[in-house]
Amino acid sequence: MKANKDAIHLDTSGFTPNLPRRHRVGKLWLVIFRFATVVGLIALATLLLNVMNSAFGYVAVENKVDPDTLAVNGVELDDLPKAELVRILQENVSAGLFRRLENDEPFAERSRLDVYNLVLERVVEPRVVQQWSLQDSLFRRAQIEAEVAANYPKAELEFKSWLDKYFILNPQSARAERAGVRTAILGSLWTVGIAIVFAFPIGVGGAIYLEEYAADNAINRVIRTNINNLAGVPSIIYGILGLAIFVRALEPLTSGTLLGLADPTTANGRTILSAGLTLGLLILPMIIINAQEAIRAVPSSLRQASYGLGATRWQTVWHHVLPNAMPGVLTGAIFAISRAMGETAPLVVIGASTFINVDPNGPFAKFTTLPIQIYQWTSRPQDVFRNIAAAAIVVLVLLLLSLNASAVILRNRFSRRLD
Amino acid sequence: MVSQVNTRPYANETLTHRAALRRRPKISETLIQGFLFLCGALSILVTVGIVYELGKESLLFFTRQQWEETNRTLVEPMDAAQTTFKMTETGMGFGIGDTIRLRREATEVIDIRGDVVTVERAHQNTTAEAHTVGVEIELSRQVTLAEFFTKTEWNPQIGKYGIWALVNATLMTSFTAIIVALPLGLCVAIYLSEYASTRVRSTLKPLLEVLAAVPTVVYGYFALTFMTPLLRAIFGVNTVEIYNTASAGIVIGVLILPLVSSMAEDALSAVPQSLRQAAYSLGATRLETAVKVVVPAALSGIAAAFIVAISRAIGETMVVAIAAGAGPAFTFNPFKAAETMTGHIVRISGGDLSYDSMDYNSIFAIGLMLFFMTLGLNILSQRIVKRFREEYE
Amino acid sequence: MHRIALVLLIVLTMLGTACSGNTPTPAPTQPASPTQAPEPTAVPAQPEQSGVLPEVNPLEVSGNVVTAGSSTVYPLAERMAERFYDEGFKGQITIDSIGSGAGYERFCKTGETDVANASRPIKDSEVESCAAIGRTPIEFRVGTDALAVVVSQQNDFVTDVTMEELALIFGNAAEKWSDVRAEWPAENILRFIPGTDSGTFDYFVEEVFAKDKEPHLSAANTQLSEDDNVLVQGIMGSPYAIGYFGYAYYAENTGTLKVLSINGIEATSETVDNNTYPLARPLFLYSDAKIMQEKPQVAAYINFFLAYVNEEVVDVGYFPASETALLAAQQAWVEAVQ
């Protein structure tokens, strides 16, 4: 943009457009802005890759008992008949375990393959002695093989995905290889279920009141400000509140003794019910605010038309406003669910159990949730727990992503239908 | 979803029937309205509940007298009139002027020589009693508001109750988070709203929001397994401890980045095009328009975004619980371990839940402080938005 | 819309690769047990029911057992509970690792638990609290721990300390390693200790600091945690870090930690058995006769524990209790259920 010399000559002596420099500065800052965005994206990628890195990789597996030593009369373990396998099992496991296996299904009725797998699992006992990250596994394969040959001569190298079917189906265990997230997932589902059952009706009700019924007087202004403030309170405060109210003060109710559903000597308030109610309180402001926005977005012409036909306020709300606002309300609810599912701090304060491997059987059971499981496994120093923590993170993130994706789909589908 | 409407509903009705419509009872309406009001008012109940519970236990924290075990016992029996006694040699020490308790009787220490103690008996409305051998000696501990707010050592087990150790660590992690997230977030927001094409913006914005959807415990894992080793590799294994506030702070910064960028970008997008075009027509470059016209116009929204992000950083718990440290320490070195307010609450409540101890009550006092800090910030942000928001028609 | 489909597609592919990455061997495997410094000597080869205890069949036991307490006892309790489940127990056992002190609270003050796990004997005041809620605690000795004082593998200057040096290292008199022994480096001592609710903490204060916890807690650069794993993580990160916890936590991390000998004595099963290792301490379960009678699953659990603990204790990382102590525990059990 050079100055046109044939244009009108103004006295520009005091004014230097200095265009080239300004453009240079502009380009420099554009680079900075782009760089900032790239940094944000790199952070996201690093986060996800770091988790992936630990969730898959090579492992060196060693057998506690060498299968060759179990050969009978020169016949390898693989070829032994069922009777021999049963005998090997009986000699090598504890009497109580053998009794229990017999009780589960008598050995006479088990297939040979079944018994063979049992021998592998309980006698040969393959264990992971060393694990490597995905990055190492992909790029340093030769070095890993050399390391295994040097340090673990009896071990076999295989590629393991720490996130597999067994991981999801197994209950928690002290041994990392056997540990799974089933108890945690069920605990998460129970607590979030209770939270949404508690918070959704109350939240939508409150939003309806604030948008449809409330006059602009002092009390309602206070309520509005209050809800906005509550949305910004750290989640741990809700945990403390839940501890004081649900675990302590309302203990007869939350422990189940009031309804006679629990043993009074050892029941306490640290149950799924308390956890669910606390999470419900936490997501309540979020649901109210989202529902408010959705209700506000319904055009007033719809309401006016309804009033014009003689409908009462509640009829208008129930039959016209709410159905129109429902997609927005549901989307907000789903985002609230995904927030509740990822919360850890309030539940730690309330008291999730350290060791619990039985599925929750009702709202008065002790609980653990997926984020808490991840927290506990991350706190353990052994490397192998990093792997299963990463696998659990993958499960959690997938769960949340699918929840959020379904919310977005819902929103898109309904908004298109309205057009 | 409009219900069926009969266009000529009452054409064949009589007048009385029409009057009946007007006399439709409103009791159910009022009841429903009342119920909905209660739903809305529940939020007030929650706030009141928070303040009440935190306040009640904090009050206990500041007023109650806690009896600390000294691991010392009486060596000889003592009758109700003696003023000196001998205690075991091992155990915690105490001084002149301290209040000690034997069984139910409180006494004040007047003199100590070696293991012989002289006391004034029957203090604090207790009666002097005879005590046998082996009675445990307990030391009185009480917190004062002055000590709470001015001292810098937090160690309740030995009677140190200075909150600044914890607040300092919170401020350090939040400050690190702020210097990471605020400039980056603002730059990203400016890029997305002023420079990026619609297609780029509609891909990048949700991607960055994925960062916000990740649970905080995953960030904690990230801080411990990636950020800390990275910092140790850069700055040396001896400078950076394995638990430190810098790595927690940086990761919290990444956590709040999408918050800043989304809210700031919304504020920038809300500025009408007419302002930008006016600036262009005066010959401004894109950068100058963005920085000198759009940003000042959206300042209230940007400030609100900053404050919400700061308040989120202060309240962040899991990242610091996993990566920042497990012992209160008053230090300005970001590479050393220090426990924040939220980390302390999690550690204490994860351990025991003895309902009557100083530790339990201290959770509430710390929680109350946290609540007021974040509440203050949120109110501030709302005020700023209201005050400085420019309404565009 | 197609963006969402893309996201879902990515999600499904990841799920697919995850599920297809099955290893051919079934999942259950044992964790790596690196060679443990003390070689086991007193481990019975076959499970012998000592004539004192009646045999318990876990298949016939159900109901819930609530336990809580010492983080030192936790790995052992966890192992026994898993074995109990493995052999057919149909109920639910919960074990909370919160520290001996907190475990006693839950057992004696609030009455929430059936069994308290502890790494220190019960105090008189705690017995009184129990009496106040109608419980008489019965002590069952289940094992012995050799308190391990550990440093990182990167530490190349310390292998042995005396008890007096321990008091200096963990107390507030010394700040750098060179303050304790002049030939050690002039670097700050980074201390990692169990929290004050922990029986390990109480024991250490009693043995090393003559029951005075003040110098121990007011030492510089101290990190406390009831979670021993947090301590392990902290210690292995620096050559100038030091800490202490139950031996099992060292045994799980021999690759990254180094255990010190005290007064020249290493922790082996002999030195622990004849009490020459200065920091050997007992591990207990506590319960109450009424609970054991009203909840037979609690009695069955304790019976099972006492019967098979010697088979598992060394693998977990601790040391067996002496024969007499174990026998006394079994006698106590028999008397309690009558």
Side-chain angles (χ1 to χ4, degrees):
Chain A
M1 284 194 340
K2 294 230 159 76
N4 186 351
K5 292 223 169 73
D6 296 330
I8 301 171
H9 287 280
L10 300 166
D11 180 13
T12 57
S13 47
F15 169 63
T16 41
N18 211 357
L19 234 30
R21 185 176 161 277
R22 283 159 61 199
H23 280 296
R24 260 201 317 271
V25 171
K27 284 207 182 70
L28 174 67
W29 277 97
L30 177 58
V31 167
I32 292 180
F33 295 149
R34 279 220 175 97
F35 176 69
T37 319
V38 165
V39 166
L41 293 174
I42 288 183
L44 177 62
T46 322
L47 186 66
L48 295 177
L49 284 178
N50 185 43
V51 169
M52 287 295 176
N53 206 18
S54 292
F56 309 95
Y58 275 118
V59 293
V61 180
E62 225 175 58
N63 293 323
K64 180 170 157 204
V65 170
D66 193 349
D68 293 337
T69 59
L70 297 172
V72 173
N73 294 335
V75 181
E76 294 279 320
L77 188 69
D78 292 347
D79 302 323
L80 286 173
K82 183 171 118 179
E84 282 295 314
L85 292 173
V86 173
R87 185 188 58 82
I88 290 178
L89 197 62
Q90 189 164 19
E91 279 174 12
N92 286 291
V93 303
S94 72
L97 181 57
F98 192 79
R99 182 175 48 200
R100 180 259 174 131
L101 289 172
E102 173 74 31
N103 181 287
D104 281 351
E105 191 181 348
F107 281 103
E109 291 168 25
R110 289 186 188 249
S111 68
R112 184 197 164 267
L113 184 63
D114 198 18
V115 182
Y116 177 68
N117 280 336
L118 272 178
V119 170
L120 279 183
E121 179 189 331
R122 296 285 183 175
V123 180
V124 174
E125 274 195 69
R127 334 177 275 211
V128 171
V129 289
Q130 182 66 279
Q131 59 279 331
W132 290 272
S133 66
L134 186 62
Q135 183 189 354
D136 283 343
S137 310
L138 290 176
F139 300 120
R140 285 181 47 219
R141 171 106 194 242
Q143 278 165 297
I144 293 178
E145 282 171 357
E147 199 179 320
V148 167
N151 296 337
Y152 310 104
K154 288 189 294 185
E156 255 182 56
L157 196 64
E158 52 188 42
F159 190 82
K160 182 177 170 78
S161 157
W162 291 92
L163 172 63
D164 55 16
K165 191 175 62 176
Y166 294 107
F167 184 70
I168 300 187
L169 292 179
N170 281 350
Q172 182 192 3
S173 163
R175 309 177 195 208
E177 292 98 339
R178 239 195 261 199
V181 288
R182 187 177 80 208
T183 342
I185 294 183
L186 287 173
S188 276
L189 291 176
W190 267 98
T191 49
V192 172
I194 294 182
I196 204 73
V197 160
F198 170 66
F200 188 73
I202 298 185
V204 176
I208 294 177
Y209 174 77
L210 287 173
E211 287 300 312
E212 298 290 322
Y213 287 83
D216 200 14
N217 59 22
I219 287 197
N220 295 318
R221 267 200 299 269
V222 168
I223 293 184
R224 282 205 177 91
T225 336
N226 200 35
I227 291 178
N228 283 328
N229 286 334
L230 277 180
V233 167
S235 58
I236 197 167
I237 305 276
Y238 284 101
I240 299 178
L241 185 69
L243 175 67
I245 293 188
F246 297 123
V247 176
R248 275 197 77 181
L250 289 182
E251 188 176 338
L253 175 64
T254 51
S255 62
T257 48
L258 196 67
L259 300 173
L261 287 170
D263 177 6
T265 50
T266 52
N268 59 27
R270 275 183 228 104
T271 56
I272 289 185
L273 187 59
S274 303
L277 291 174
T278 310
L279 284 182
L281 277 186
L282 198 149
I283 60 176
L284 188 63
M286 230 184 302
I287 294 188
I288 295 184
I289 293 178
N290 272 316
Q292 265 186 293
E293 305 248 325
I295 293 177
R296 209 177 297 163
V298 174
S300 57
S301 51
L302 209 63
R303 293 189 188 84
Q304 300 301 333
S306 176
Y307 290 142
L309 292 170
T312 63
R313 195 176 283 200
W314 175 245
Q315 286 174 326
T316 311
V317 167
W318 185 252
H319 293 286
H320 300 289
V321 176
L322 215 47
N324 266 313
M326 203 35 96
V329 169
L330 281 182
T331 320
I334 294 180
F335 283 130
I337 290 181
S338 82
R339 168 89 193 267
M341 214 169 243
E343 278 298 333
T344 328
L347 299 182
V348 173
V349 175
I350 295 221
S353 285
T354 322
F355 176 79
I356 170 172
N357 62 2
V358 174
D359 300 338
N361 56 3
F364 303 112
K366 307 267 183 301
F367 68 98
T368 182
T369 62
L370 202 47
I372 289 184
Q373 198 65 77
I374 298 174
Y375 172 51
Q376 283 171 353
W377 282 337
T378 311
S379 309
R380 299 246 201 161
Q382 293 90 357
D383 279 334
V384 70
F385 281 102
R386 295 288 153 82
N387 296 93
I388 53 175
I393 290 177
V394 173
V395 172
L396 181 62
V397 169
L398 284 182
L399 211 58
L400 293 179
L401 268 183
S402 44
L403 267 177
N404 284 352
S406 59
V408 173
I409 292 180
L410 198 72
R411 181 169 58 188
N412 283 354
R413 194 147 68 95
F414 277 110
S415 66
R416 265 200 289 139
R417 219 207 271 174
L418 271 179
D419 288 340
Chain B
M1 278 186 244
V2 178
S3 54
Q4 285 290 343
V5 174
N6 186 351
T7 47
R8 298 189 61 209
Y10 308 123
N12 297 327
E13 309 288 295
T14 63
L15 201 61
T16 46
H17 207 122
R18 247 177 284 170
L21 261 105
R22 253 179 267 120
R23 278 190 280 113
R24 190 183 295 270
K26 292 220 175 136
I27 298 186
S28 59
E29 285 287 311
T30 347
L31 275 179
I32 291 180
Q33 183 166 347
F35 169 71
L36 294 176
F37 172 73
L38 281 179
C39 288
L42 184 67
S43 70
I44 296 208
L45 204 64
V46 171
T47 313
V48 166
I50 291 180
V51 177
Y52 171 69
E53 272 301 328
L54 293 180
K56 179 178 82 161
E57 300 284 346
S58 307
L59 201 66
L60 271 181
F61 174 70
F62 285 110
T63 56
R64 127 204 310 255
Q65 188 171 36
Q66 173 93 350
W67 296 105
E68 190 69 60
E69 280 173 6
T70 58
N71 280 331
R72 288 195 195 253
T73 57
L74 286 182
V75 172
E76 295 157 352
M78 186 172 165
D79 66 29
Q82 268 176 270
T83 53
T84 54
F85 63 85
K86 203 151 174 257
M87 60 184 184
T88 47
E89 286 166 7
T90 57
M92 198 154 74
F94 44 84
I96 299 179
D98 281 334
T99 310
I100 57 177
R101 187 171 79 167
L102 300 157
R103 277 280 140 79
R104 283 179 301 266
E105 180 192 344
T107 66
E108 187 177 322
V109 175
I110 302 192
D111 194 16
I112 302 186
R113 279 170 216 261
D115 51 356
V116 176
V117 184
T118 317
V119 295
E120 215 176 81
R121 312 237 0 206
H123 268 238
Q124 295 180 1
N125 288 330
T126 52
T127 48
E129 300 166 346
H131 300 291
T132 54
V133 178
V135 162
E136 284 167 7
I137 302 177
E138 294 166 312
L139 179 62
S140 154
R141 293 243 189 258
Q142 193 153 9
V143 194
T144 58
L145 268 174
E147 185 188 353
F148 189 74
F149 283 111
T150 55
K151 291 282 159 58
T152 62
E153 193 183 337
W154 181 267
N155 215 330
Q157 285 293 327
I158 51 175
K160 302 269 190 286
Y161 294 101
I163 191 75
W164 281 110
L166 301 175
V167 173
N168 182 54
T170 307
L171 292 178
M172 282 189 63
T173 50
S174 309
F175 184 68
T176 321
I178 288 169
I179 52 178
V180 165
L182 261 47
L184 270 182
L186 189 57
C187 289
V188 173
I190 294 179
Y191 176 72
L192 283 181
S193 88
E194 301 298 312
Y195 288 87
S197 66
T198 333
R199 209 173 44 144
V200 169
R201 187 180 330 145
S202 58
T203 346
L204 284 186
K205 202 162 172 207
L207 261 186
L208 284 176
E209 275 170 13
V210 171
L211 269 181
V214 174
T216 54
V217 68
V218 179
Y219 281 103
Y221 174 88
F222 180 63
L224 192 63
T225 57
F226 179 81
M227 194 51 78
T228 303
L230 183 68
L231 286 178
R232 299 188 98 199
I234 295 179
F235 293 103
V237 171
N238 288 333
T239 351
V240 181
E241 289 179 22
I242 204 162
Y243 295 120
N244 59 75
T245 51
S247 119
I250 295 177
V251 171
I252 297 181
V254 173
L255 200 155
I256 61 177
L257 179 69
L259 212 67
V260 175
S261 72
S262 272
M263 288 181 68
E265 201 263 340
D266 286 340
L268 289 170
S269 300
V271 173
Q273 276 295 92
S274 50
L275 256 74
R276 290 188 189 86
Q277 288 172 353
Y280 290 142
S281 69
L282 288 173
T285 61
R286 202 178 256 203
L287 172 75
E288 289 160 356
T289 319
V291 170
K292 294 187 183 163
V293 174
V294 182
V295 167
L299 203 57
S300 72
I302 295 180
F306 281 5
I307 294 180
V308 166
I310 294 175
S311 135
R312 182 82 202 273
I314 288 183
E316 179 46 48
T317 316
M318 291 323 291
V319 179
V320 290
I322 293 180
F330 186 78
T331 168
F332 290 112
N333 180 352
F335 294 133
K336 294 175 71 111
E339 199 174 42
T340 64
M341 293 195 286
T342 46
H344 184 76
I345 295 177
V346 163
R347 179 167 70 86
I348 293 295
S349 53
D352 97 326
L353 268 153
S354 137
Y355 292 146
D356 286 320
S357 71
M358 276 302 224
D359 274 335
Y360 179 75
N361 297 131
S362 73
I363 295 182
F364 292 86
I366 301 174
L368 194 63
M369 246 196 106
L370 197 63
F371 179 67
F372 282 132
M373 279 169 80
T374 48
L375 188 71
L377 282 174
N378 281 326
I379 292 185
L380 182 66
S381 95
Q382 283 168 19
R383 283 277 165 77
I384 290 187
V385 168
K386 216 188 294 192
R387 193 84 146 2
F388 295 109
R389 169 193 301 197
E390 305 185 30
E391 291 284 340
Y392 300 108
E393 195 34 271
Chain C
M1 186 65 201
H2 51 268
R3 242 185 313 116
I4 308 302
L6 190 64
V7 168
L8 276 183
L9 194 65
I10 298 177
V11 161
L12 287 171
T13 1
M14 288 204 289
L15 206 54
T17 45
C19 287
S20 64
N22 269 349
T23 47
T25 51
T29 46
Q30 249 187 347
S33 317
T35 44
Q36 300 166 359
E39 286 303 294
T41 49
V43 178
Q46 277 303 315
E48 256 168 28
Q49 286 285 144
S50 59
V52 184
L53 287 175
E55 194 177 324
V56 65
N57 183 354
L59 283 165
E60 294 160 5
V61 187
S62 66
N64 72 345
V65 180
V66 183
T67 77
S70 163
S71 64
T72 312
V73 177
Y74 178 75
L76 186 60
E78 196 183 28
R79 177 71 67 92
M80 298 310 297
E82 271 205 51
R83 181 161 168 178
F84 202 43
Y85 278 119
D86 231 7
E87 301 196 2
F89 176 59
K90 294 189 183 28
Q92 173 171 346
I93 308 178
T94 44
I95 314 177
D96 284 337
S97 169
I98 51 179
S100 305
Y104 282 130
E105 279 249 7
R106 286 198 195 176
F107 185 69
C108 284
K109 274 226 188 101
T110 56
E112 285 172 38
T113 53
D114 301 319
V115 177
N117 303 329
S119 58
R120 62 161 172 83
I122 195 169
K123 286 189 194 157
D124 290 335
S125 52
E126 286 157 347
V127 177
E128 268 177 40
S129 314
C130 260
I133 60 167
R135 291 188 174 191
T136 326
I138 306 177
E139 179 178 294
F140 300 101
R141 173 87 183 271
V142 293
T144 318
D145 171 36
L147 191 69
V149 179
V150 297
V151 294
S152 154
Q153 282 274 6
Q154 303 162 33
N155 180 317
D156 55 4
F157 51 91
V158 161
T159 46
D160 175 84
V161 284
T162 64
M163 292 286 276
E164 294 78 26
E165 284 172 340
L166 271 184
L168 278 178
I169 292 175
F170 284 102
N172 57 4
E175 195 166 323
K176 297 194 200 282
W177 285 99
S178 46
D179 296 339
V180 180
R181 259 193 228 175
E183 67 255 23
W184 286 343
E187 296 280 346
N188 282 338
I189 307 177
L190 303 175
R191 303 162 167 116
F192 292 87
I193 67 178
T196 50
D197 245 338
S198 161
T200 315
F201 175 83
D202 289 332
Y203 176 77
F204 197 78
V205 163
E206 190 181 319
E207 293 294 318
V208 176
F209 287 100
K211 299 197 190 175
D212 186 4
K213 56 186 174 180
E214 187 154 350
H216 190 31
L217 284 173
S218 54
N221 295 319
T222 305
Q223 298 268 302
L224 297 106
S225 178
E226 263 83 12
D227 185 357
D228 292 324
N229 293 304
V230 172
L231 302 179
V232 170
Q233 199 135 254
I235 297 172
M236 70 187 206
S238 165
Y240 306 113
I242 188 169
Y244 61 89
F245 33 70
Y247 202 85
Y249 290 93
Y250 160 68
E252 275 177 23
N253 296 289
T254 50
T256 46
L257 298 178
K258 195 169 73 165
V259 67
L260 305 178
S261 50
I262 317 281
N263 286 346
I265 303 174
E266 267 185 33
T268 64
S269 57
E270 287 94 28
T271 57
V272 167
D273 220 10
N274 58 24
N275 254 323
T276 46
Y277 183 74
L279 297 176
R281 61 204 185 113
L283 302 174
F284 302 105
L285 295 183
Y286 281 86
S287 188
D288 168 68
K290 218 166 12 118
I291 298 176
M292 286 167 69
Q293 283 160 15
E294 281 172 17
K295 294 176 84 172
Q297 66 269 23
V298 176
Y301 167 70
I302 300 180
N303 178 329
F304 187 86
F305 204 116
L306 292 173
Y308 296 111
V309 68
N310 275 354
E311 289 178 30
E312 305 282 348
V313 73
V314 175
D315 196 40
V316 171
Y318 295 127
F319 304 88
S322 63
E323 293 281 329
T324 38
L326 211 47
L327 204 60
Q330 292 172 349
Q331 293 280 24
W333 187 94
V334 170
E335 283 166 27
V337 291
Q338 263 144 20

